[in-house]
């Protein structure tokens, strides 16, 4: 360490793949479906948590189940970890973000503001890999905003990528720069 020089931190992140294809990042069509006769409206151009307008508002009504809307990306592989993550801002009531892999969920209310929901479970070879949006009661409706859906085959969520992120590298010069 030299006087007048300050140490700096550098974040280096491993590679990952978001198994949700780019065509499904708009929460409409593709792998996304209403469930139990729920009526679902998806509206783009909503304010996202980073100051842009790239989020989507989802409003549901009716239906015969607490599950109202979901995206599905195949059957889980037994013994494989899946990290689901999505940004959610609830506008009214409570939205339950649910993962079939591990049967984990997180409830979001309007007082929570923007939350990056992260749900991690281990596949069993039977359940589907899904992000589900549920109500607490069958008769409830949903009104919430979502952004950046991601599912990775990891035991933890990493920062968002729209497809695949190569591992990052950091090179440290060896000429006496490091102080043990």
């Amino acid at each position: 360490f030299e006087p007048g020089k300050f140490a700096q931190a550098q974040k280096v992140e491993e590679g990952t793949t978001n198994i949700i294809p780019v065509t499904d990042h708009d929460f409409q069509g593709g792998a996304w479906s209403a469930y139990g006769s729920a009526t679902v409206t998806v509206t783009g151009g909503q304010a996202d948590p980073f100051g842009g307008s790239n989020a989507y508002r989802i409003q549901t009504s009716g239906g015969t189940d607490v599950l109202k809307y979901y995206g599905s990306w195949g059957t889980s592989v037994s013994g494989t970890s899946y990290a689901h993550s999505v940004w959610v801002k609830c506008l009214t009531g409570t939205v339950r973000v649910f993962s079939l892999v591990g049967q984990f969920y997180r409830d979001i209310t309007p007082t929570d503001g923007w939350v990056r929901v992260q749900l991690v479970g281990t596949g069993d070879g039977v359940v589907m890999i899904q992000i589900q949006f549920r109500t607490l009661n069958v008769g409830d409706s949903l009104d919430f905003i979502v952004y950046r859906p991601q599912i990775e085959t990891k035991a933890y969520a990493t920062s968002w990528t729209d497809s695949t992120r190569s591992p990052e590298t950091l090179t440290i010069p060896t000429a006496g720069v490091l102080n043990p």
Side-chain angles (χ1 to χ4, degrees), residues 13-170:
E13 191 163 34
E14 65 188 282
T16 194
T17 295
N18 184 350
I19 67 172
I20 300 175
V22 173
T23 54
D24 291 337
H25 291 184
D26 64 0
F27 297 90
Q28 303 176 71
W32 293 98
S33 300
Y35 187 80
S37 300
T39 299
V40 178
T41 303
V42 179
T43 308
Q46 305 297 305
D48 64 55
F50 303 108
S53 57
N54 300 303
Y56 296 84
R57 184 175 183 177
I58 298 176
Q59 297 169 286
T60 74
S61 61
T64 59
D65 197 277
V66 292
L67 173 56
K68 304 298 181 182
Y69 200 56
Y70 71 100
S72 188
W73 297 276
T75 305
S76 65
V77 174
S78 184
T80 298
S81 294
Y82 294 90
H84 303 60
S85 62
V86 62
W87 285 90
V88 177
K89 181 179 182 181
C90 184
L91 300 177
T92 60
T94 299
V95 59
R96 175 167 286 174
V97 183
F98 191 91
S99 165
L100 286 177
V101 178
Q103 302 288 307
F104 294 108
Y105 66 89
R106 170 110 187 247
D107 291 341
I108 308 296
T109 65
T111 59
D112 295 322
W114 278 107
V115 175
R116 184 177 182 214
V117 176
Q118 300 178 48
L119 305 171
V120 178
T122 303
D124 62 5
V126 177
V127 300
M128 301 301 288
I129 305 164
Q130 297 181 343
I131 294 177
Q132 298 184 349
F133 300 110
R134 299 177 172 202
T135 56
L136 300 183
N137 303 295
V138 172
D140 293 347
S141 296
L142 294 175
D143 190 1
F144 61 102
I145 301 173
V146 287
Y147 184 59
R148 291 189 170 173
Q150 179 164 287
I151 301 176
E152 307 167 80
T153 54
K154 296 189 177 315
Y156 49 89
T158 66
S159 65
W160 186 80
T161 182
D162 61 355
S163 58
T164 297
R165 177 180 56 246
S166 297
E168 296 172 342
T169 59
L170 177 64

